[in-house]
Amino acid sequence: MTATAPKKKGRALNSSYEAATVLKDYWEGATRHRAEGRPVAWVSGNVPIELFWALGIYPVYPENYSAVCASIQRAQEFCETAEEKGYSIDLCSYSRVNLGIVLGKGVDDPELPYGGIPRPDMLVTTRIPCLPQVKWWEVVREHFDIPMFVVDATMVELPIRESQRQHYLGQIRELIPFMEQKLGVRFHEDTFTETLKLSDQAAELWLDLLDLRTAVPSPVGSREMCGNVFPLVAMLGNPRTIEFFTHLRDEAKECVQEGKGAVENEQIRLGWDNIPMWYNLKFFSDVEEQNAIFTYETYLRYVWGGRMDLNDPWTAFADKHLDVWLNYSINQRVNTLLRDLVKFKLDGFVFHQNRSCKRFSMGQRDLAQAIQEKIGVPSLFIESDMADPRAYAEAPTRVKMETFLEMLEGNKR
Amino acid sequence: MHVVLADSYLPIFAGKLARSILEQALQGKLAHLAGVAISNSSDAVRMLYDLWGRHILQQRAFLIDVPAILEGETNHRVFRQAMLDFKGELEKFTGKPLEPAALRRSIALFNENRRLLKEIASLMSVSPPRVSPETYLDALPSRGETPQRAELTPLHVSGPILVDRSFLPMLRECGATMSSEDLGTGSRYFWNEVEEAGEPVEAVIERYWSKIPESYKTPMEPRWRHLLSQIERSKARGVIFVIEKYSDEDQYDYPVWRDRLRSRGVPCLLLDSELVLESEQVRTRVQTFVDIVKGGAFS
Ligand code: SF4
């Protein structure tokens, strides 16, 4: 599919329509894998994903499932079940959705999206994005009573220190035999290297695509890109990801070459920090009616993916997993943002103060201060939650956003 | 403490503890300190270290950057190295190497304190209690001792920290007393001693690796075993969880502990705290809980 094909209404890139199929195939693939008696692991953001595909263990992402539930307006009911079971409303809403399912009607409930979440044989998680993730997994382990492995890491400032790299790799060397022993799989270095190549190829395509969004006008906005990111989270090492990202990248490239933007008369360019409000991705596209576009997101650039120098695969593998936004110190976040904002020619920045993802949200005031002082980019804070719609106040947020856009327009005149 | 200045750097959901500490620093109330040592004990506290470096410029902050996962040979090695790094930083900062003999003396003194605190803990658990929870928590001689009555229902208090001491007389007014606890700043802090034979630095590191872990550390089982042993030791008839709002680590543990305790017939009550616990609502909930525990009406 290319940009020359007639565009369907609503998407800037026709290839974005493939995202729903990729997602559906992923979840159906997980169910099939389970039904065929092959091993399934529940994993979380920033686990060493390529290992799973290389070992034939299907990596199931409850976080993604929670985001899916949010996007179809079903998160609240599961959050409420978790709260009835004693899990505080202040906890990460991804975990509340998941625990509401696990401790409520169960993961096999046929009423669930994609017919349910395949049961895990193993749990693997990491402290890289946050500590609560590990705690959430402990609750899941309590329920399923299955083996669990946690990969630890301390926060980084780039370049990554050798001691941090060795800490990571030491644990990977413990994780591989753990998986082999518990799940009866075998690790082959060749298969792993092939998987890394696929992963790196996908990352390259994705980063190319993001870089194309530095163009004025931008070929694609945040709403669409948030819908496209999923394979970068869960399917690194899967050839389907390469196919999908190639379509996206090529189509965006054509748009840029032809000077076609997602917004006809692009006037204001915006950036976004934090996880999107999955139940309200419309928030991103609404601004397009006012000739503005969200064309940069820390979440899409620094949370998933990442290139690897495959001449030194293990070092690259470690660095890729440690070098993520949520694992950055505040200083590192500031430096990264300052660099990117100039590159993407942003006029304004929106910080989502996400009450669920505290690790993402802490330090945002420092970021806002830095971009205002150093490069004169003003910012807006909106308070909400990525999956629990009860934390979102439509009217005041809309007014805030409109006022912000008016101010940015004024600045440009 | 009312948080004003720290609002500019930490959102409400970073929790009152981290926000109050930053507030004190920003107000200059900690200026008398030569430095601060910050651990990885929650994401908010870890961020506090970054904020210190950016905004409290006149004061040195040290990060004790240990793993939170207390399993595996790699984590053990990294834990040890992080502790050695911290020691090295302190030595550089003070300009004095750590003398093994001085460390041995300090270990012996701390161990003695730990043993005494354990003794006081057991005096609080007998019926009638021989020391009050206030005395125990302050680890003071029993001067000004609050009289303890045998008819008070013994309860266990669990959580990371109990800042608001007005909770203890309130508990008594409701007909109960704290007979044991597994607070992060209580028994979990002093329960494990440092091995006095052998190389002292290694012994200290080993003690922190294997001590009863805080809620941010995995695995959770040693913490559970400690909680259970304290309840058994003190014959507590129920457990009150005092958990700081936005303390995610403890908030995840609570329903798991509660369900395990309930399956053993031990009733539980959760109180959300923001460093303070005083309110009519809290009193009513505690009173109701104590009445239920006394009446055995719990199911
Ligand atoms: S708190 Fe943030 S990083 Fe942690 S599990 Fe939830 S969404 Fe992921």
Side-chain angles (χ1 to χ4, degrees):
Chain A
M1 206 175 287
T2 69
T4 47
K7 251 185 206 156
K8 292 187 201 172
K9 198 171 173 289
R11 294 281 190 275
L13 306 177
N14 274 330
S15 312
S16 297
Y17 286 101
E18 289 177 50
T21 318
V22 174
L23 187 60
K24 187 162 167 279
D25 289 350
Y26 163 83
W27 282 104
E28 287 175 358
T31 307
R32 219 173 21 251
H33 204 84
R34 165 95 269 175
E36 288 163 359
R38 288 185 284 156
V40 168
W42 276 19
V43 300
S44 63
N46 308 119
V47 296
I49 184 67
E50 295 85 353
L51 267 185
F52 294 83
W53 291 108
L55 284 161
I57 303 167
Y58 208 99
V60 162
Y61 272 84
E63 276 165 275
N64 167 260
Y65 199 83
S66 298
V68 169
C69 291
S71 69
I72 57 169
Q73 314 304 328
R74 289 202 58 191
Q76 185 174 331
E77 58 185 285
F78 301 126
C79 284
E80 284 168 355
T81 306
E83 288 151 26
E84 279 160 23
K85 302 277 176 195
Y87 291 90
S88 164
I89 194 168
D90 300 322
L91 294 173
C92 163
S93 51
Y94 281 172
S95 75
R96 277 182 289 131
V97 171
N98 180 249
L99 294 175
I101 293 171
V102 169
L103 306 173
K105 287 189 183 161
V107 294
D108 309 314
D109 178 8
E111 299 287 304
L112 288 170
Y114 307 115
I117 316 176
R119 286 173 175 272
D121 300 300
M122 176 182 277
L123 303 168
V124 181
T125 187
T126 171
R127 184 170 61 126
I128 290 175
C130 71
L131 269 169
Q133 170 66 65
V134 181
K135 300 299 296 183
W136 164 13
W137 248 226
E138 279 191 327
V139 179
V140 175
R141 169 167 62 177
E142 177 83 2
H143 180 80
F144 287 112
D145 194 18
I146 52 173
M148 173 165 112
F149 194 99
V150 186
V151 181
D152 204 338
T154 51
M155 290 174 89
V156 300
E157 226 158 86
L158 300 178
I160 288 160
R161 294 198 311 268
E162 187 57 25
S163 57
Q164 292 181 305
R165 188 175 292 132
Q166 290 311 324
H167 182 200
Y168 186 81
L169 289 176
Q171 293 171 92
I172 298 301
R173 281 191 281 271
E174 290 172 20
L175 171 62
I176 293 171
F178 181 83
M179 298 206 275
E180 287 182 324
Q181 197 208 337
K182 303 282 181 198
L183 299 177
V185 291
R186 283 294 298 144
F187 177 77
H188 298 287
E189 185 107 24
D190 293 351
T191 320
F192 179 58
T193 312
E194 278 313 305
T195 314
L196 289 189
K197 275 188 201 151
L198 290 174
S199 167
D200 186 52
Q201 221 180 317
E204 184 180 15
L205 288 162
W206 181 258
L207 293 177
D208 280 355
L209 173 62
L210 296 188
D211 278 349
L212 286 164
R213 301 170 73 215
T214 57
V216 183
S218 171
V220 54
S222 295
R223 179 176 185 168
E224 217 166 306
M225 290 299 287
C226 287
N228 290 335
V229 71
F230 172 69
L232 196 72
V233 180
M235 294 168 67
L236 283 175
N238 186 317
R240 182 71 179 91
T241 307
I242 312 281
E243 199 189 324
F244 176 44
F245 285 177
T246 305
H247 293 163
L248 287 171
R249 196 268 319 260
D250 290 351
E251 197 180 336
K253 201 172 183 176
E254 281 188 42
C255 288
V256 171
Q257 278 162 358
E258 291 167 16
K260 266 203 261 174
V263 175
E264 235 163 67
N265 179 24
E266 181 188 297
Q267 297 291 322
I268 295 168
R269 295 167 66 82
L270 298 166
W272 171 267
D273 182 53
N274 217 309
I275 306 174
M277 299 175 282
W278 294 110
Y279 49 86
N280 185 21
L281 289 179
K282 210 170 135 305
F283 176 85
F284 290 132
S285 48
D286 279 351
V287 303
E288 295 178 6
E289 283 160 26
Q290 293 165 72
N291 299 328
I293 186 160
F294 280 96
T295 191
Y296 172 85
E297 314 77 10
T298 51
Y299 174 73
L300 298 183
R301 176 62 186 80
Y302 295 106
V303 178
W304 316 108
R307 296 296 313 272
M308 287 178 278
D309 175 2
L310 296 177
N311 292 315
D312 186 358
W314 286 104
T315 298
F317 183 63
D319 287 6
K320 182 205 126 175
H321 285 95
L322 294 170
D323 183 352
V324 290
W325 188 266
L326 282 152
N327 200 35
Y328 283 173
S329 66
I330 297 179
N331 287 342
Q332 185 58 49
R333 292 182 193 189
V334 167
N335 294 339
T336 307
L337 201 58
L338 286 171
R339 187 195 61 208
D340 283 5
L341 259 53
V342 174
K343 182 172 157 190
F344 279 80
K345 308 169 201 80
L346 299 186
D347 302 301
F349 204 84
V350 178
F351 288 96
H352 175 201
Q353 190 133 92
N354 179 354
R355 62 197 288 281
S356 262
C357 194
K358 301 176 175 85
R359 178 107 153 225
F360 222 137
S361 305
M362 288 184 289
Q364 282 177 322
R365 294 281 171 191
D366 279 54
L367 296 183
Q369 212 177 341
I371 61 174
Q372 175 68 61
E373 277 169 14
K374 300 255 164 70
I375 50 175
V377 174
S379 50
L380 173 76
F381 277 75
I382 59 165
E383 289 96 39
S384 187
D385 188 286
M386 69 225 173
D388 188 341
R390 290 170 295 175
Y392 177 65
E394 170 76 21
T397 310
R398 185 176 278 274
V399 172
K400 266 185 171 183
M401 194 63 211
E402 281 169 5
T403 313
F404 186 55
L405 288 175
E406 275 166 28
M407 188 201 88
L408 294 178
E409 249 179 357
N411 286 357
K412 286 203 113 180
R413 266 187 230 126
Chain B
M1 160 169 262
H2 193 52
V3 176
V4 183
L5 302 175
D7 260 344
S8 308
Y9 305 105
L10 276 177
I12 287 196
F13 49 72
K16 195 71 187 279
L17 194 60
R19 281 159 48 81
S20 305
I21 295 169
L22 185 62
E23 180 72 22
Q24 289 183 57
L26 291 167
Q27 285 187 15
K29 290 190 174 157
L30 303 179
H32 58 287
L33 300 174
V36 292
I38 297 176
S39 80
N40 269 327
S41 61
S42 72
D43 287 340
V45 172
R46 171 61 187 79
M47 288 301 199
L48 201 54
Y49 169 75
D50 285 356
L51 293 171
W52 220 279
R54 294 177 61 82
H55 304 292
I56 319 289
L57 301 176
Q58 70 285 6
Q59 201 168 47
R60 174 72 194 273
F62 300 91
L63 178 66
I64 311 173
D65 210 9
V66 290
I69 314 305
L70 303 175
E71 283 177 320
E73 194 261 318
T74 305
N75 283 326
H76 186 247
R77 179 174 49 75
V78 173
F79 186 95
R80 177 178 175 276
Q81 191 54 51
M83 295 286 277
L84 290 175
D85 290 348
F86 175 56
K87 169 184 161 284
E89 288 295 312
L90 281 182
E91 286 175 328
K92 243 192 281 165
F93 183 65
T94 57
K96 279 189 234 151
L98 180 61
E99 295 291 342
L103 183 58
R104 274 204 191 89
R105 278 198 301 279
S106 174
I107 288 172
L109 192 63
F110 268 82
N111 277 349
E112 178 66 6
N113 278 343
R114 290 174 181 129
R115 283 191 289 271
L116 291 170
L117 282 164
K118 270 192 189 174
E119 258 182 60
I120 303 175
S122 63
L123 293 174
M124 180 179 69
S125 304
V126 293
S127 177
R130 299 198 29 217
V131 297
S132 71
E134 286 92 331
T135 301
Y136 163 66
L137 287 180
D138 292 341
L140 293 168
S142 45
R143 189 158 32 95
E145 181 59 41
T146 314
Q148 298 290 294
R149 304 193 309 269
E151 68 271 23
L152 292 176
T153 302
L155 295 177
H156 179 88
V157 176
S158 183
I161 188 169
L162 183 65
V163 176
D164 189 347
R165 295 293 166 80
S166 70
F167 170 70
L168 297 168
M170 188 250 282
L171 198 56
R172 272 192 298 275
E173 283 157 28
C174 295
T177 186
M178 180 177 92
S179 60
S180 58
E181 51 74 31
D182 68 306
L183 298 165
T185 51
S187 65
R188 274 193 270 142
Y189 165 72
F190 66 75
W191 208 255
N192 306 87
E193 292 181 23
V194 179
E195 187 57 63
E196 289 187 41
E199 207 287 311
V201 174
E202 295 296 339
V204 169
I205 294 173
E206 223 27 60
R207 188 261 178 192
Y208 282 92
W209 169 262
S210 55
K211 77 182 272 290
I212 298 151
E214 294 77 18
S215 54
Y216 73 94
K217 288 178 176 161
T218 297
M220 69 207 296
E221 286 314 311
R223 200 163 53 257
W224 163 249
R225 285 197 295 273
H226 178 67
L227 167 72
L228 210 55
S229 72
Q230 292 301 305
I231 295 171
E232 280 164 6
R233 188 182 59 75
S234 75
K235 301 191 178 56
R237 292 179 53 198
V239 177
I240 297 183
F241 288 87
V242 179
I243 298 188
E244 286 300 306
K245 194 168 166 58
Y246 305 118
S247 170
D248 288 354
E249 293 75 19
D250 295 286
Q251 298 280 8
Y252 278 107
D253 279 353
Y254 161 69
V256 174
W257 292 166
R258 178 203 59 194
D259 291 351
R260 286 186 185 187
L261 289 167
R262 279 186 177 169
S263 72
R264 290 174 145 78
V266 181
C268 301
L269 173 72
L270 171 67
L271 298 178
D272 263 332
S273 155
E274 281 199 272
L275 302 184
V276 286
L277 270 169
E278 255 177 316
S279 82
E280 256 328 289
Q281 202 210 14
V282 169
R283 179 182 290 270
T284 310
R285 297 189 63 214
V286 170
Q287 184 67 68
T288 311
F289 180 69
V290 172
D291 291 347
I292 290 171
V293 171
K294 272 185 170 164
F298 169 77
S299 65

